Amino acid sequence: MIDKDGVATIEMIKSKFPRKDVLTRPKAIIECYQDIPCNPCETSCPFDAIYIGNDINQIPRIDFDKCTGCSSCIAACPGLAIMVVMIKDGKAYFKIPYELLPLPQVGEKWQGVNRYGEVLAKPCTIENVMKTKKTDRTAIVTVSIEQPFLYEFVTIGRQL
Ligand code: SF4
Ligand code: SF4
């Protein structure tokens, strides 16, 4: 439970995802569950896909029809609460914020990690690493893993 251990339940996680057919295109998944005074996700989206509104404490809502998966919101979120997800050919692709060094390299196999910090049963593959002036010190790492880990994977652990 998020109030006790800070980890969202599977129902809460799934509530942030669109239907799987929508995920054939990249979509932002915003795992922001509590009322906090924060809105860089809303102001960073060039497509007005994220809505918080006048009450900055509101939980962000996303319009998946408007979201292009452009990834601009990922590095803008100070809580590292946003990733962009897509499914294709039995794999789930995640663009995640990553702020540790050294950065992973394309083609490497890394541990996949769940929201409890536990290592997943299957490794993931580093597909891309993007670091630009705009994303400052937050790299955007694209990772692929088998689709059954869609609701489990949240970040990478260490290189295998
Ligand atoms: S991925 Fe791009 S279009 Fe989608 S919510 Fe984030 S900034 Fe907006
Ligand atoms: S920027 Fe991140 S932490 Fe802040 S409201 Fe948006 S999703 Fe939540």
Side-chain angles (χ1 to χ4, degrees):
M1 283 289 288
I2 201 155
D3 291 340
K4 289 188 178 161
D5 57 16
V7 180
T9 62
I10 187 67
E11 291 79 17
M12 291 169 76
I13 294 163
K14 285 185 174 178
S15 75
K16 300 297 185 184
F17 280 70
R19 295 188 321 268
K20 283 190 180 162
D21 61 295
V22 176
L23 278 182
T24 53
R25 289 168 178 265
K27 300 293 174 188
I29 306 300
I30 306 177
E31 286 206 63
C32 194
Y33 295 104
Q34 291 172 316
D35 298 344
I36 50 170
C38 185
N39 72 350
C41 52
E42 180 184 45
T43 56
S44 69
C45 178
F47 300 98
D48 293 329
I50 301 176
Y51 181 77
I52 290 176
N54 291 334
D55 180 357
I56 197 172
N57 292 298
Q58 295 259 31
I59 291 171
R61 284 185 281 135
I62 181 163
D63 182 338
F64 288 117
D65 290 334
K66 288 185 178 175
C67 176
T68 65
C70 74
S71 306
S72 297
C73 54
I74 297 177
C77 172
L80 307 182
I82 304 178
M83 55 188 179
V84 168
V85 180
M86 186 179 93
I87 53 179
K88 187 181 175 192
D89 299 333
K91 285 187 180 173
Y93 291 81
F94 294 82
K95 286 184 179 177
I96 59 168
Y98 193 73
E99 296 186 334
L100 300 178
L101 294 173
L103 289 173
Q105 301 294 312
V106 173
E108 290 174 351
K109 300 280 184 195
W110 280 58
Q111 294 170 331
V113 172
N114 69 17
R115 288 164 182 78
Y116 285 98
E118 297 164 343
V119 176
L120 301 176
K122 294 283 174 71
C124 55
T125 303
I126 307 299
E127 302 284 351
N128 192 42
V129 179
M130 187 184 80
K131 202 160 182 290
T132 66
K133 262 189 181 172
K134 202 175 165 193
T135 63
D136 195 13
R137 278 160 285 187
T138 306
I140 308 295
V141 176
T142 307
V143 169
S144 66
I145 194 166
E146 291 178 21
Q147 193 176 321
F149 295 100
L150 179 65
Y151 302 119
E152 278 191 81
F153 175 90
V154 75
T155 192
I156 53 177
R158 64 173 175 79
Q159 187 187 354
L160 297 173

